[in-house]
Amino acid sequence: MLVVAILSQPTKAQENHTKDTLEDKSLVSYLKEGEISGHIRNYFLITENHHGNDYYANAIGGVLSYETKSYKGFQLGVSGIFTYKVFSSDLNKPYDQTNKSSRWEQELFDVNHKDNFKDLDRLEELYIKYHWKNSYVTYGKIPVEYTPLLNKSDGRMKPFAFQGGWLHHKDEKFQADAAWIHRVSPRSMTEWFSMEEAIGLTNNGYLPNGEKADYEQSTSTSGLFIAHLGKEFKNLKANFWNFHLDKFINTSWLQMEYAKKNWELGMIYTYQIPDAYQKKLAYENRYVQPNENGQVASFMLKYKNGASQIKAAYSKSFESGRYLFPKELGRDQFYTSMPRSRIEGLGGVNVFALGYQYNWKHLFLNIDATTTHGAAIKDYELNKYNIDDYYQINTRLHYEFTNFLKGLHIELLYVWKQNKNEHNTQLVAQRSDYNQLNLITNFNF
């Protein structure tokens, strides 16, 4: 009996090993090897308007993401986001003179459902990805690669989110991307929309003749097509993007940056061509007019010295037409662009910017100032949103914790913005003439 028992041990051990091996290959075991990530965010925002009501709000929420381990090149990913209101002033209380209510504080929640401040959920990502060597292709509700026009712009509780397909390749020689985006959930919204439904959800602005534009759901489109080619040399980086918004507009964007020792130079040139389909629409339903060719040149000079850097930038939006890109898809990233200040919608405008940055070990200070020259009230041919020239200063402090609190970031952003000429409530309400404080706490895991 003892002999039988001893001889039987290897067999039992082999059975246990086989069982463990099979368990290692099980779906449950495979899913357990996936990666969970996300963040918890608390956002307090208060705006002091010089000519109207003041507003404040505090929102808390987070993102939880999961991506499977790669299996023969395939991966699945899913991500969800949620937001709740902690406290706020009456965000729907309108200005007496304009009937406008809170803008930025409302953007912490859902701008389409202004009375809903709790349990604001959104399926952020749900995709399948196949990758090989230095490339991947993905489809679904996807995370996107950087582009200077279509981007997440994660400056609220809910960033822009996109659905479509993306092909990406990067190696030592070049980077290339090809993408098709056909659905979007714009920033500060919880619902998903087709591209036709999304464009025009926010401010439609004015037509060149001064009438209110009304292009929401006026054009059936198959989506946005993106092509990108990037190349890095010894000291030079060159990138070219083309954005074709079917039946709306085509935008080409060339960006070149040269760096040597402590200096960095940058240049952007972008040119737009209206889609011929726009001419077939009624005048008031056009997103862009057939004779408009928006074009912008942007330049940057940066000097770095140890922990500090200084930047000077200049952008010129030409008189050939308003520079247009749907606000529902992202924010433009010119060298003069900064939170609360963008070129989109303007033509015939000069933008000047100065920036200073200094970082201690874990503390970062940024001071950015900008001003526009050439934006004239009621010059609707070159001013889609009828804004005035302005001055703006952003001051940002960002601290990153370490050790036990690694992943915890606290950011304080103060924004001061003032029109140069016009200060009546109708023109500045929720656009200019304000002081704003943003206190953002993120815990990333």
Side-chain angles (χ1 to χ4, degrees), residues 252-316:
S252 296
W253 180 296
L254 175 65
Q255 185 164 347
M256 302 184 73
E257 294 176 342
Y258 179 82
K260 190 170 184 180
K261 295 183 178 179
N262 296 341
W263 293 91
E264 185 177 342
L265 296 168
M267 182 277 293
I268 296 170
Y269 177 73
T270 173
Y271 187 81
Q272 298 185 309
I273 300 174
D275 193 291
Y277 183 84
Q278 290 288 302
K279 194 173 183 179
K280 300 177 182 179
L281 300 173
Y283 182 81
E284 64 273 14
N285 297 141
R286 292 175 182 170
Y287 177 75
V288 58
Q289 301 303 320
N291 61 340
E292 286 190 288
N293 296 105
Q295 55 178 325
V296 175
S298 187
F299 305 92
M300 176 270 294
L301 174 64
K302 185 185 296 181
Y303 175 75
K304 298 180 182 179
N305 183 19
S308 64
Q309 68 178 38
I310 299 174
K311 182 185 80 170
Y314 166 72
S315 296
K316 168 68 174 178

Side-chain angles (χ1 to χ4, degrees), residues 122-189:
R122 182 172 78 183
L123 180 62
E124 194 84 347
E125 296 173 356
L126 181 61
Y127 61 87
I128 183 170
K129 179 191 289 186
Y130 177 73
H131 55 87
W132 68 99
K133 294 184 180 179
N134 299 311
S135 307
Y136 72 79
V137 60
T138 183
Y139 180 78
K141 292 179 169 68
I142 58 174
V144 298
E145 295 290 331
Y146 170 83
T147 85
L149 291 175
L150 178 125
N151 39 61
K152 292 184 67 173
S153 294
D154 191 8
R156 302 292 189 276
M157 296 299 290
K158 290 183 176 65
F160 294 90
F162 308 100
Q163 181 174 331
W166 201 289
L167 174 63
H168 174 77
H169 172 81
K170 185 176 183 179
D171 59 26
E172 306 82 26
K173 296 181 180 179
F174 70 96
Q175 176 179 326
D177 295 274
W180 169 50
I181 304 296
H182 61 88
R183 289 180 67 82
V184 59
S185 184
R187 187 170 70 178
S188 305
M189 300 183 192

Side-chain angles (χ1 to χ4, degrees), residues 375-443:
I377 295 297
K378 295 185 178 180
D379 180 15
Y380 300 106
E381 288 189 4
L382 296 173
N383 194 339
K384 177 178 179 178
Y385 304 108
N386 196 32
I387 67 171
D388 185 24
D389 281 326
Y390 58 85
Y391 300 104
Q392 181 177 331
I393 299 175
N394 287 9
T395 304
R396 172 180 170 266
L397 278 171
H398 181 91
Y399 186 81
E400 299 180 356
F401 289 80
T402 59
N403 300 325
F404 180 73
L405 293 176
K406 184 177 181 180
L408 179 61
H409 300 175
I410 295 180
E411 180 172 315
L412 181 67
L413 172 65
Y414 172 73
V415 180
W416 172 83
K417 190 170 184 177
Q418 183 81 19
N419 271 4
K420 289 184 178 180
N421 306 300
E422 300 289 342
H423 302 282
N424 73 71
T425 306
Q426 184 67 39
L427 288 171
V428 303
Q430 301 298 307
R431 301 199 299 179
S432 188
D433 287 25
Y434 63 83
N435 301 289
Q436 187 181 87
L437 191 67
N438 304 256
L439 179 59
I440 308 148
T441 304
N442 280 312
F443 181 70

Side-chain angles (χ1 to χ4, degrees), residues 305-359:
N305 183 19
S308 64
Q309 68 178 38
I310 299 174
K311 182 185 80 170
Y314 166 72
S315 296
K316 168 68 174 178
S317 181
F318 292 88
E319 291 80 0
S320 54
R322 303 167 299 172
Y323 191 83
L324 304 173
F325 193 79
K327 287 181 176 292
E328 298 81 10
L329 301 182
R331 295 293 182 262
D332 61 67
Q333 303 294 318
F334 293 102
Y335 292 122
T336 52
S337 297
M338 54 195 283
R340 317 295 186 265
S341 177
R342 308 290 174 175
I343 286 179
E344 197 274 326
L346 294 172
V349 170
N350 300 281
V351 186
F352 304 87
L354 290 173
Y356 173 76
Q357 176 179 311
Y358 189 87
N359 65 281

Side-chain angles (χ1 to χ4, degrees), residues 213-256:
D214 184 20
Y215 53 77
E216 183 181 358
Q217 296 193 42
S218 66
T219 303
S220 176
T221 176
S222 56
L224 175 69
F225 299 87
I226 304 170
H228 166 234
L229 187 63
K231 175 75 174 177
E232 289 192 22
F233 302 91
K234 184 178 180 180
N235 301 106
L236 180 68
K237 291 192 297 184
N239 285 280
F240 176 78
W241 287 271
N242 193 79
F243 304 85
H244 181 72
L245 186 53
D246 177 51
K247 296 183 180 177
F248 282 89
I249 195 168
N250 191 87
T251 302
S252 296
W253 180 296
L254 175 65
Q255 185 164 347
M256 302 184 73

Side-chain angles (χ1 to χ4, degrees), residues 196-207:
E196 178 182 348
E197 295 169 327
I199 297 175
L201 279 173
T202 57
N203 187 1
N204 284 205
Y206 293 89
L207 294 161

